[in-house]
Amino acid sequence: MKKICVVGSLNMDLVVTVDRFPQPGETITGREFATYPGGKGGNQAVALGRLGADVLMIGKLGNDLFGEQYLVNLKENSIVLDGVKVEEGVSSGIAVIEVDSTGENHIVIVPGANGKVDRAFIEGNWPLMEQRDIFLFQLEIPIDTVLYAMEKLKKAGKTIILDPAPARILPDEIFLNVDYITPNETEMETLTGIRIKDVDDLKEAGHWLIKKGVKNVIAKAGKKGAYLITSDDFVHVPGFSVKAVDTTAAGDSFNAGFAFALAQGKEIIESIRFANAVGAISTTAKGAQSAMPSLKQVEAFIGQQMR
Ligand code: ADP
């Protein structure tokens, strides 16, 4: 089995539930408070750990309580921690999330230590990274670092998966390094400037990315599953039918499932199918990392669906 590495963010999500949002200057009493480990990098690493992958995490936490809690969480999910640094003088990355009684939310993200994942950190961890085969990136660490690491990895002949989330416009140089890009519909529109109303638009947006140098576009499409777009192919890989409760981190679970299947030597369509299963299962319970399945669960789920 090939070895995997996630280069990305680690955030603690601080979730407050309220009846309604406060006005500016107003103080209200909330209903409940809870903390959940999150951040797209951490989510993808934990999903991989649950599946039983050999996964190295490259990222930073602050020297605070959240950092300590996050390290325990990574350890519990069997993630290789040699590339996780506790940075002095900065907080851990956090997201303060207020959810009201209608399910609407307000979110403030402070990147904290994630903002300190720089070129020097990649250089320092290069001996560890060099021993890995498949790399997952997202966009919650500095883009300069993402590009720097990708260019080094590309030269070393590694496989690179980019989840272009949160949605933003990217410099062209990024695309030249990417083997698999996995946008959802919003991210696809932001990246390409093409409004997606139907599959023809999706195909056009996919080809826009291919022309920029991406090898394979895997467009995530919620309950519809995903589409593979290459220079010659356009293939719909249908999603699994589930009763979705909370789609938080479905995209992260999908990416982890995809990387895991590739690492096992599966073909691309088969890997997308496996990713659809991991993504679908992750929507069937509340929370981000709490709903991520083990390999046994995924295999049982796929087995059931085929009956
Ligand atoms: P993101 O979470 O990045 O917005 P999607 O909503 O497209 O991305 O979800 C990612 C993947 O998770 C989908 O491609 C699909 O495989 C799976 N998925 C998401 N929502 C559902 C759902 N309601 N039913 C089944 N599968 C889902």
Side-chain angles (χ1 to χ4, degrees):
M1 178 137 157
K2 289 186 176 156
K3 291 177 162 189
I4 301 176
C5 174
V6 177
V7 183
S9 60
L10 301 164
N11 280 337
M12 197 59 96
D13 293 343
L14 315 180
V15 183
V16 179
T17 49
V18 292
D19 292 328
R20 62 168 182 86
F21 298 120
Q23 300 296 318
E26 186 188 9
T27 300
I28 62 165
T29 302
R31 277 178 176 273
E32 280 169 15
F33 172 68
T35 59
Y36 302 99
K40 292 180 189 301
N43 286 346
Q44 296 187 8
V46 166
L48 279 157
R50 295 265 168 86
L51 290 170
D54 179 346
V55 54
L56 168 74
M57 178 76 211
I58 301 288
K60 287 187 178 179
L61 291 161
N63 188 4
D64 52 25
L65 206 56
F66 299 135
E68 278 173 38
Q69 287 173 356
Y70 213 118
L71 278 175
V72 171
N73 173 54
L74 291 173
K75 236 179 246 164
E76 281 173 357
N77 286 287
S78 318
I79 289 151
V80 180
L81 292 178
D82 304 340
V84 178
K85 186 181 177 204
V86 174
E87 184 86 1
E88 296 297 331
V90 64
S91 76
S92 291
I94 56 106
V96 178
I97 305 171
E98 293 174 6
V99 186
D100 77 3
S101 53
T102 69
E104 194 69 52
N105 60 35
H106 286 174
I107 303 181
V108 179
I109 290 181
V110 179
N114 296 309
K116 304 283 182 188
V117 176
D118 54 13
R119 292 181 179 211
F121 190 58
I122 298 296
E123 278 305 320
N125 282 299
W126 186 250
L128 296 173
M129 293 173 70
E130 231 178 356
Q131 295 168 32
R132 303 268 144 181
D133 310 296
I134 298 175
F135 291 77
L136 293 95
F137 290 87
Q138 321 75 30
L139 302 174
E140 289 181 335
I141 57 169
I143 199 72
D144 173 74
T145 312
V146 172
L147 180 59
Y148 181 76
M150 278 187 176
E151 284 179 341
K152 253 180 108 76
L153 292 165
K154 172 89 174 172
K155 277 199 196 107
K158 307 295 186 182
T159 299
I160 297 173
I161 303 171
L162 173 64
D163 188 3
R168 54 163 287 172
I169 293 172
L170 288 173
D172 279 355
E173 303 81 56
I174 290 269
F175 299 121
L176 298 169
N177 302 293
V178 176
D179 295 294
Y180 304 95
I181 195 164
T182 60
N184 66 15
E185 195 174 296
T186 315
E187 290 146 11
M188 191 72 142
E189 288 186 342
T190 305
L191 284 173
T192 65
I194 297 168
R195 257 215 67 216
I196 297 166
K197 300 175 294 305
D198 53 35
V199 281
D200 287 334
D201 297 332
L202 188 64
K203 207 181 276 183
E204 188 190 341
H207 284 287
W208 188 97
L209 289 166
I210 303 282
K211 276 203 202 89
K212 292 283 183 188
V214 172
K215 289 212 189 77
N216 301 277
V217 178
I218 299 170
K220 290 183 266 200
K223 65 175 180 234
K224 287 199 286 250
Y227 295 83
L228 169 66
I229 310 160
T230 65
S231 50
D232 315 313
D233 274 332
F234 183 83
V235 184
H236 178 212
V237 186
F240 292 91
S241 174
V242 290
K243 193 160 178 279
V245 176
D246 180 357
T247 60
T248 311
D252 294 328
S253 303
F254 179 98
N255 275 58
F258 180 70
F260 180 78
L262 277 190
Q264 282 189 312
K266 288 199 166 85
E267 293 301 326
I268 182 161
I269 298 288
E270 189 56 23
S271 299
I272 295 172
R273 202 170 113 77
F274 187 87
N276 275 337
V278 179
I281 298 168
S282 79
T283 69
T284 58
K286 278 211 156 180
Q289 297 183 5
S290 54
M292 290 167 172
S294 67
L295 179 58
K296 257 196 178 149
Q297 279 173 282
V298 182
E299 285 172 346
F301 175 82
I302 293 175
Q304 255 171 16
Q305 301 279 329
M306 290 200 313
R307 254 190 257 140

